[in-house]
Amino acid sequence: MAAALGVRPTKQRGQNFVIDANTVRRIVRTARVSPEDVVVEVGPGLGSLTLALLQEAAWVTAVEIDDVLAAALPATVAARLPGRADRFALVHHDAMRVAELPGPEPTALVANLPYNVAVPVLLHMLATFPSIEHGLVMVQAEVADRLAAEPGSKVYGVPSVKAAWYAEVRRAGAIGRNVFWPAPNVDSGLVSLTRREPPRTRATRREVFAVVDAAFAQRRKTLRAALAGWAGSAAAAEAALTAAGIDPRARGESLTIEDFAAIAERKGTTGA
């Protein structure tokens, strides 16, 4: 198919196509896709995962930025699964800028995400489409570890905390390199997501994420020092932390998303 289309995977778009049928079936099975699910897929490529999803889901919307791949996918679906072609929609767009989707509201996100944009795409989709109840994404193993990390872990950081705002996140398996074309230089991992309610807080998501960004921008520093710029001074940061019940000498890697929300609530309310 790639040869017929004149397609060569590019590093610029992080294109590594899944070429193993068993891996595709495993992804759909692990994603717990049901006949009631409306799935949004990011980066369908040549359509191997798309076809597997269509056999299980009520509807699949694929978001593809590549001009050639986007043009070819509807014909591939029509040729391979003619009985399901009316349950498929294509959005030719950058997933980072998608604000709406055709068809029913999505209930599941299943995707082989390009390594270079995996985290921002995932966070954008979860923020933009609150109807997504669960999901499974395949990402670089290192990214999978970061997304699923718990407080206190060496790899716990911004992706871990921000993903936890939207969902319960866990590692759901490892994927070898030889199931891709071309084979990447790194291993991949599956990450499972189950939507959860965000922390109860008077602070907005933007305000909470600002604290998260500040805390990990200088992760070796104590929170009192790391949040000084965010709060206006080290003293103001300490006052906000103390009011939130957080030790000012702690570091960001020890805090939960609920802790960050509590800190965000206290900004400017302590008189410091």
Side-chain angles (χ1 to χ4, degrees), residues 6-28:
V7 168
R8 293 292 302 176
T10 68
K11 287 187 178 180
Q12 180 184 2
R13 288 188 172 157
Q15 291 173 327
N16 297 91
F17 302 131
V18 183
I19 56 173
D20 180 68
N22 287 330
T23 298
V24 168
R25 285 191 284 267
R26 176 187 169 193
I27 291 171
V28 175

Side-chain angles (χ1 to χ4, degrees), residues 42-211:
V42 176
L46 294 168
S48 58
L49 180 55
T50 311
L51 294 170
L53 289 167
L54 271 169
Q55 294 180 59
E56 300 295 334
W59 180 279
V60 175
T61 298
V63 181
E64 177 59 64
I65 190 173
D66 187 284
D67 295 342
V68 176
L69 294 174
L73 190 55
T76 299
V77 171
R80 302 286 180 119
L81 282 178
R84 293 270 179 165
D86 62 344
R87 302 184 184 193
F88 171 74
L90 175 83
V91 174
H92 181 197
H93 205 9
D94 180 351
M96 283 293 296
R97 300 185 179 184
V98 169
E100 57 184 6
L101 296 169
E105 289 188 333
T107 62
L109 168 67
V110 184
N112 169 24
L113 293 176
Y115 293 162
N116 52 348
V117 294
V119 171
V121 166
L122 175 61
L123 296 177
H124 173 75
M125 297 301 288
L126 290 172
T128 306
F129 303 104
S131 60
I132 293 175
E133 300 167 358
H134 64 102
L136 186 81
V137 294
M138 182 159 56
V139 295
Q140 183 176 338
E142 182 181 341
V143 175
D145 291 339
R146 288 177 179 174
L147 284 168
E150 297 283 345
S153 165
K154 289 182 179 179
V155 295
Y156 183 75
V158 172
S160 327
V161 183
K162 290 185 178 180
W165 173 275
Y166 302 103
E168 294 178 3
V169 185
R170 65 177 179 84
R171 270 292 225 127
I175 301 291
R177 306 178 187 193
N178 59 355
V179 304
F180 296 97
W181 173 68
N185 295 323
V186 294
D187 293 323
S188 298
L190 298 177
V191 176
S192 175
L193 306 116
T194 303
R195 176 77 71 168
R196 52 164 277 180
E197 289 295 318
R200 291 188 177 184
T201 176
R202 294 187 299 275
T204 66
R205 181 181 68 219
R206 184 185 297 272
E207 290 169 339
V208 176
F209 282 10
V211 183

